[in-house]
Each structure stands twice: as C-alpha cells, then as structure tokens.
Amino acid sequence: MNLNKKRAIVFGGTSGIGRATSIALMAQGAEVHVVSRHAEALNDLPETIRRYNCDVCDEDTVRATFASIGPLDIIISSATGGSRTLSHFPEMDMASYRDSFAKLWGYAHVVRHGLEWLRESGAIVLVSGSPARRCDPGQVALSSVGAAIEAMVRGVAKEIVPRRINALCPGLIDTPILQKKGADRVEHYKQLTEGNLVPRPGTPEECAHGILFLLENEFVTGTVLDIDGGRLLS
Ligand SMILES: NC(=O)c1ccc[n+]([C@@H]2O[C@H](COP(=O)([O-])OP(=O)(O)OC[C@H]3O[C@@H](n4cnc5c(N)ncnc54)[C@H](OP(=O)(O)O)[C@@H]3O)[C@@H](O)[C@H]2O)c1
C-alpha cells in the first residue's frame, strides 16, 4: 500500500508507539486521525493530525468515533486499554487479572466497528507484546492478553479478505508506559534487557517502522512481526 493520501486512524496515537506511528504516517503523506482518552487536550502533536477523545473500552463511543470520521484505509491500535497487571499468578487478585483484559476488549471494539469503515484495500495493525510468546514470572496477565490478541489477528485475517490484519509485537520499548515507573531509568532498562541479543530498549520509531512495513507490504496478513531486540531468543 502506498501511504500517500491514505486515511488512517490510530487509537493510542498520542503517546509512545502510537504517537511515533502517527508522525511516521503523516510524513508519508497520510491523513492521520488520532484517538485517546485525552487526545483533544494535547498540544504537542503536529496541527495537521486530527484528534478525538474516546475510550476504547466504551463500545458506543468507538462506534461513534468511526462514524464521525468516515471511510478509512488504515486502522491501528496501540491503546493500552486499562492497567497493566504485573503479579505472580498464585497471588494474583482475580479482579486485576480480569481488568487486564480491557486491552483485548478495546481492540475487539476497534476491529469490529472499524471493519464497517475499512475500504477493501485497507489494513489493520494491532500492537501485542513479547510476553505473548515469552512469559517471564509476573507476566501471566500480559501474556494471556497478548496471546489472545495474536490469536484474534490470525482468526480475523481469514474472515476479512481482501482486507488485511497483522500484529506488531514489541519487546521493551522506551515509552512513557515504563518511564512512569519512576525508577532510575538507565539502570532499570539495563536490568530488563540484559541477555537480549540487542541489550537495550527499542525506540517508538523502531516500532513505527515495523507498523509501516505491515501496512505497505500487501503480501503480509494474519502474522506477527517481532520488534524485540531478540528477546524471544534470549
Ligand atoms: N512500551 C513497551 O515496552 C511495550 C512492550 C510491549 C507491549 N507494549 C504495548 O504497546 C502498546 C503501546 O504502548 P506504549 O508503550 O506506546 O504506551 P503509552 O506511551 O502509554 O501510550 C498508550 C496510548 O494509549 C492511549 N490509551 C490508553 N488507554 C486507552 C483507552 N482506554 N482508550 C483510548 N486510548 C487509550 C493513551 O492515551 P490516553 O492516556 O490519553 O488515553 C496513549 O496514547 C500498548 O498496547 C502496550 O501494551 C508496550
């Protein structure tokens, strides 16, 4: 797909991986609409990027947001949905485990209602996460949700031909989601990426590069692209 003049929507497009992807799409000449819970309040995005407030967990608002934008060529979601549950399963609070699936329900709303507006030549990219296929202690919730997203992508791909859907699976990426932890950032990242084949966090731009590949290459559908510095092999 040539991205020039294509109409794109990016859920979670105001921060981290989604923000870098929105800017990369704009640089390729796409018309970009970003969505997040506080998008309209943010001033640090280029003016040509249109912004919408919407919680992906609210199905009616997701449906209305698509209806207000109209036909699309590209749908992306990197919206985290709710809280990230990092806890060992034997001690896990079941309410937190259930809450962690907000990301899956959000993505389901985006795909289900986005398909009503996606052109025949269009493509979807969802962002999962490397615990989907390599789960370290404390990551059971992240793993369960990520694996479900990747399974959804494989299943939906068969049902939406000729439209395409793929997942991008990031390893540790230097975005606000992790910076919020407040720990000494460099030391924290060093510990988390030690032993990876590329022992550093990835950048949101490296993920955006992967997402653009999944959009542009029309022979790719129903698959998962790992951008993880070799974490799966470490
Ligand atoms: N960074 C990593 O190391 C890493 C690793 C593996 C997987 N991932 C996955 O990659 C995706 C992007 O992560 P990131 O690091 O770029 O996170 P981020 O910088 O925190 O950005 C998350 C974005 O999602 C939006 N968002 C969150 N909940 C939302 C909701 N309920 N409805 C609508 N928008 C919502 C946020 O905006 P508002 O707050 O305004 O809503 C923000 O724009 C996530 O799905 C994450 O699980 C990240």
Side-chain angles (χ1 to χ4, degrees):
M1 183 195 299
N2 181 334
L3 302 175
N4 191 34
K5 295 197 165 46
K6 293 295 187 298
R7 302 190 84 224
I9 187 166
V10 184
F11 289 84
T14 56
S15 177
I17 296 168
R19 184 178 194 280
T21 303
S22 301
I23 290 169
L25 283 168
M26 194 191 71
Q28 295 297 315
E31 177 189 306
V32 183
H33 303 254
V34 304
V35 183
S36 81
R37 290 165 300 182
H38 315 102
E40 287 174 358
L42 297 180
N43 294 319
D44 66 340
L45 281 168
E47 266 180 31
T48 50
I49 293 184
R50 297 162 211 203
R51 290 170 266 169
Y52 305 80
N53 282 355
C54 164
D55 185 333
V56 287
C57 299
D58 180 342
E59 184 176 3
D60 288 342
T61 315
V62 171
R63 192 191 282 115
T65 302
F66 277 116
S68 72
I69 295 172
L72 290 160
D73 303 286
I74 294 164
I75 297 173
I76 293 164
S77 187
S78 66
T80 35
S83 54
R84 294 162 80 241
T85 304
L86 291 167
S87 167
H88 287 212
F89 197 77
E91 292 94 45
M92 196 180 290
D93 162 24
M94 284 294 106
S96 308
Y97 186 62
R98 275 193 292 274
D99 286 352
S100 66
F101 281 82
K103 175 170 162 175
L104 176 68
W105 307 136
Y107 281 18
H109 298 156
V110 166
V111 173
R112 174 67 184 78
H113 297 296
L115 282 169
E116 291 162 27
W117 297 98
L118 189 65
R119 293 188 168 117
E120 289 244 310
S121 55
I124 302 173
V125 179
L126 304 180
V127 178
S128 59
S130 63
R133 276 163 294 121
R134 183 195 141 171
C135 180
D136 287 339
Q139 295 184 328
V140 172
L142 292 180
S143 179
S144 308
V145 174
I149 288 165
E150 294 182 1
M152 179 167 80
V153 162
R154 282 188 291 274
V156 170
K158 294 181 179 177
E159 299 181 357
I160 63 167
V161 176
R163 294 168 292 184
R164 298 181 297 115
I165 179 167
N166 291 288
L168 180 101
C169 183
L172 185 84
I173 309 298
D174 185 7
T175 72
I177 209 175
L178 293 160
Q179 288 158 24
K180 274 178 206 158
K181 278 180 174 283
D184 174 66
R185 201 162 134 234
V186 176
E187 189 50 38
H188 183 58
Y189 282 159
K190 207 172 144 196
Q191 282 170 14
L192 289 175
T193 59
E194 210 164 40
N196 284 3
L197 304 188
V198 183
R200 64 165 175 84
T203 65
E205 290 72 25
E206 286 168 326
C207 290
H209 189 220
I211 291 175
L212 263 55
F213 164 78
L214 293 171
L215 294 171
E216 288 177 322
N217 191 318
E218 296 179 353
F219 200 49
V220 182
T221 191
T223 195
V224 179
L225 175 63
D226 294 304
I227 303 273
D228 67 351
R231 179 174 184 270
L232 288 181
L233 298 177
S234 69

